Amino acid sequence: MFYMYLLSIIFKLLKRSFIAMARKEYLSSEARLRFDSPPQLEDVSILLQIPHWAETYLRTIGSATNKVGFILQLGYFRVTARFFVPHRFYESDISLVVEKFKIDPNDIDMNDYTHNRTYYRHQEAILREFGFSSFNAQYNGISHQQALFQEAIRLTALQTKPSLIFDAMVTYLQEKRIETPTYNALRDILTKALDAFSRDLEAIIQSYRDWE
């Protein structure tokens, strides 16, 4: 009886902890903004010195806006294995690209790039050339989102601090060469994993009660 009572107390404490975690953000507001923003580069050469395949691809792009968008997506991805929405591209980076590649700044409107199918085609080309897979794709019949959910469940059994689980999920994607999605996408998966872990704990407690 004492063992069951102790187990019940432990479960209640764990459940309360996981419910609290599921109700809040897993990163600070500053960290969330930083995560969903392009990297602030100390060495801008990664933007200006593009691979040979990218030089060839760039020559097939007619629009000045699309050229700048492609170059920035490429440079940011090389640093973070992520893509970012164009309205968060830094004006300073745009100016660097315009100067280096001799593009007329008057022909550039990044709002057009945001609502352009070309924006996604560029991502597909970058993923392909670097041997990465889109987060929305699947492998062996299992979506990357589902695979990450299973990994998140495994991590919740090893670590109760959500920010560390979050970091481990990003590391998992990088090791598997899968595109890292937005903070919100990762947060939703982590929340579901924490909820699932809480339900599993409750089922274990109930099974012991039934056995008793």
Side-chain angles (χ1 to χ4, degrees):
M1 286 294 296
F2 175 75
Y3 173 74
M4 283 303 304
Y5 173 75
L6 182 60
L7 198 58
S8 238
I9 293 296
I10 292 173
F11 166 73
K12 288 177 182 178
L13 290 173
L14 283 171
K15 185 174 182 181
R16 187 179 305 165
S17 172
F18 279 116
I19 288 174
M21 286 190 290
R23 287 176 178 167
K24 68 178 183 179
E25 301 290 354
Y26 305 125
L27 300 179
S28 68
S29 58
E30 293 81 5
R32 295 198 303 272
L33 178 60
R34 190 165 55 249
F35 186 84
D36 280 336
S37 297
Q40 295 183 325
L41 303 172
E42 295 183 2
D43 181 5
V44 297
S45 63
I46 200 163
L47 286 180
L48 306 180
Q49 298 174 4
I50 65 177
H52 178 70
W53 72 264
E55 292 179 355
T56 302
Y57 188 88
L58 190 63
R59 287 194 289 270
T60 70
I61 301 174
S63 159
T65 294
N66 290 344
K67 285 182 178 180
V68 172
F70 169 71
I71 293 168
L72 290 178
Q73 287 211 82
L74 171 64
Y76 295 150
F77 185 86
R78 292 170 74 184
V79 177
T80 63
R82 295 198 57 208
F83 296 114
F84 303 92
V85 290
H87 74 262
R88 287 191 171 167
F89 291 178
Y90 301 118
E91 288 295 332
S92 57
D93 290 343
I94 293 174
S95 297
L96 284 170
V97 169
V98 163
E99 181 179 357
K100 167 67 176 179
F101 293 92
K102 297 180 173 54
I103 299 170
D104 187 345
N106 296 314
D107 293 337
I108 297 171
D109 184 350
M110 298 314 294
N111 287 324
D112 288 345
Y113 191 61
T114 303
H115 304 292
N116 194 326
R117 172 59 189 152
T118 303
Y119 168 70
Y120 299 102
R121 285 203 302 270
H122 289 172
Q123 293 181 4
E124 292 166 2
I126 292 167
L127 289 169
R128 182 174 61 251
E129 292 295 336
F130 285 108
F132 271 71
S133 180
S134 167
F135 183 66
N136 294 320
Q138 58 179 243
Y139 180 74
N140 285 341
I142 300 175
S143 72
H144 292 321
Q145 296 178 32
Q146 180 62 27
L148 182 62
F149 172 67
Q150 295 299 329
E151 174 65 9
I153 288 178
R154 186 187 73 84
L155 291 167
T156 57
L158 304 175
Q159 173 60 252
T160 58
K161 191 171 183 181
S163 61
L164 295 180
I165 300 174
F166 185 93
D167 289 344
M169 290 168 65
V170 173
T171 299
Y172 168 85
L173 292 172
Q174 292 172 341
E175 290 176 348
K176 297 293 184 181
R177 299 185 73 80
I178 300 169
E179 166 203 2
T180 302
T182 63
Y183 166 78
N184 284 342
L186 293 174
R187 179 198 59 192
D188 290 347
I189 290 174
L190 178 51
T191 297
K192 291 176 182 176
L194 292 171
D195 288 343
F197 186 73
S198 178
R199 288 194 300 272
D200 288 345
L201 281 176
E202 190 166 7
I204 290 171
I205 293 294
Q206 188 59 49
S207 66
Y208 275 105
R209 286 173 177 164
D210 293 343
W211 178 77
E212 187 182 38

